[in-house]
Amino acid sequence: MKYIIASLFLMVGLAACEEHQDAIYTGPISVSLVEGGSIELSESPEEQNVSIEVRLTAGEAVQEDITVAYSIEGEGWQNRVQDLSGGSVTIPAGEYLATINLKVLDNSDQDGDQEFALNLTEVTNGNAIIGLGGSESFKTMGLMVLDDEFNPCGDVGAAFFGKDVVLEYRDGAYDGDNDGTVGKPSDAACDGLRIVGDALNWVSGAFDIQIDETSGSVSVPKQIYLSDGDDYWIEGTGTYNLTEGTITLDVYYLDYTGGTDEAEVDLAADGYAGTITVRLK
């Protein structure tokens, strides 16, 4: 009887121990990009160098070096990106991270913004696999290379692009003159320009204009002028005078806190009216 009771206690004790044992991961070690999604890369000299981290995402520290191969996909990527790491990186034994180093190539071509993809492809040595498919296991990343060349079309674009200007604002309440600049539009279309500066005389931002030299007119498509807690919207129409070096815009604007959905914003009905004159310095 004593033997039976002792055996029962031993079995219960073993079951309790098994129930509270910590799970031990025995599967393969995996490697992943630290980030997924897409990043923007600039041709500007101060932003040309890019570091992308690769990490171990599961298992214990490696006992040997793990070499991870990757590829860059997309037509013509060699003309926009230099692969400084040569297609593979090594995570040293006992460590968790390696870094892929890229350099964006600055050229004089107007080749537009282009998106490529960086993909982890294989582990060429070591007991590891590419990713586990979890929410933080990234096998690929988009690389958006932004073109910094822009050739405006037409006389107006040539006269104003890249120039310093004065932004004269008038609406009877917030009249004032402020410094600004003219650059390439957000969509890089040659018949447009981007006006940057304190155009509404109390908050700095940027907005695109479109130029139609056939009709001699300028338009401001409805867009966010600045998003900083509140959303400032702007739209309008105007004319230009190359002899005087001016672009005159009759605009509606609105300090709108309802979000960034263009369909929700009716500037003509609810906005304030003012005039912005972009004047060459």
Side-chain angles (χ1 to χ4, degrees), residues 83-181:
D83 179 10
L84 300 178
S85 296
S88 68
V89 291
T90 298
I91 302 174
E95 298 188 17
Y96 292 86
L97 288 173
T99 302
I100 297 171
N101 291 305
L102 308 176
K103 181 178 181 179
V104 182
L105 300 176
D106 190 8
N107 58 41
S108 58
D109 300 327
Q110 187 176 345
D111 38 18
D113 299 341
Q114 288 181 277
E115 187 166 19
F116 308 104
L118 184 145
N119 303 311
L120 300 184
T121 56
E122 64 177 334
V123 176
T124 57
N125 68 303
N127 178 31
I129 61 173
I130 300 295
L132 288 177
S135 60
E136 296 183 358
S137 181
F138 304 112
K139 302 178 184 179
T140 186
M141 169 182 285
L143 307 174
M144 176 65 77
V145 179
L146 305 178
D147 187 18
D148 65 352
E149 275 74 38
F150 177 70
N151 297 316
C153 53
D155 295 333
V156 179
F160 282 87
F161 177 68
K163 301 297 177 57
D164 293 327
V165 293
V166 175
L167 303 176
E168 302 175 357
Y169 181 72
R170 303 287 184 269
D171 74 356
Y174 293 98
D175 298 354
D177 300 345
N178 301 283
D179 290 336
T181 58

Side-chain angles (χ1 to χ4, degrees), residues 254-266:
L254 179 65
D255 173 5
Y256 180 71
T257 60
T260 58
D261 185 350
E262 180 179 315
E264 298 176 1
V265 180
D266 187 355

Side-chain angles (χ1 to χ4, degrees), residues 14-252:
L14 288 173
C17 289
E18 289 178 359
E19 183 178 345
H20 291 88
Q21 276 184 337
D22 293 332
I24 299 174
Y25 179 79
T26 59
I29 297 169
S30 69
V31 293
S32 170
L33 295 170
V34 171
E35 297 182 55
S38 182
I39 59 173
E40 292 186 348
L41 311 178
S42 173
E43 291 185 3
S44 302
E46 65 274 11
E47 300 178 14
Q48 285 179 351
N49 293 302
V50 182
S51 296
I52 299 172
E53 289 190 323
V54 179
R55 68 179 173 190
L56 296 176
T57 58
E60 301 175 357
V62 290
Q63 303 302 311
E64 60 180 321
D65 293 353
I66 289 184
T67 301
V68 183
Y70 62 88
S71 64
I72 301 174
E73 304 295 336
E75 184 177 354
W77 71 264
Q78 297 92 340
N79 299 323
R80 308 299 299 275
V81 178
Q82 182 180 359
D83 179 10
L84 300 178
S85 296
S88 68
V89 291
T90 298
I91 302 174
E95 298 188 17
Y96 292 86
L97 288 173
T99 302
I100 297 171
N101 291 305
L102 308 176
K103 181 178 181 179
V104 182
L105 300 176
D106 190 8
N107 58 41
S108 58
D109 300 327
Q110 187 176 345
D111 38 18
D113 299 341
Q114 288 181 277
E115 187 166 19
F116 308 104
L118 184 145
N119 303 311
L120 300 184
T121 56
E122 64 177 334
V123 176
T124 57
N125 68 303
N127 178 31
I129 61 173
I130 300 295
L132 288 177
S135 60
E136 296 183 358
S137 181
F138 304 112
K139 302 178 184 179
T140 186
M141 169 182 285
L143 307 174
M144 176 65 77
V145 179
L146 305 178
D147 187 18
D148 65 352
E149 275 74 38
F150 177 70
N151 297 316
C153 53
D155 295 333
V156 179
F160 282 87
F161 177 68
K163 301 297 177 57
D164 293 327
V165 293
V166 175
L167 303 176
E168 302 175 357
Y169 181 72
R170 303 287 184 269
D171 74 356
Y174 293 98
D175 298 354
D177 300 345
N178 301 283
D179 290 336
T181 58
V182 180
K184 73 173 183 177
S186 55
D187 62 1
C190 79
D191 60 349
L193 294 170
R194 189 159 182 79
I195 312 301
V196 182
D198 194 353
L200 296 182
N201 203 40
W202 74 96
V203 58
S204 293
F207 63 93
D208 289 345
I209 65 173
Q210 292 179 340
I211 303 163
D212 184 349
E213 292 194 3
T214 301
S215 64
S217 64
V218 178
S219 61
V220 182
K222 184 162 59 176
Q223 64 202 276
I224 293 179
Y225 173 61
L226 177 77
S227 184
D228 184 15
D230 294 344
D231 299 316
Y232 294 85
W233 289 78
I234 186 172
E235 71 173 339
T237 58
T239 58
Y240 57 84
N241 187 318
L242 289 179
T243 302
E244 296 179 356
T246 59
I247 300 173
T248 302
L249 304 165
D250 294 322
V251 299
Y252 290 103

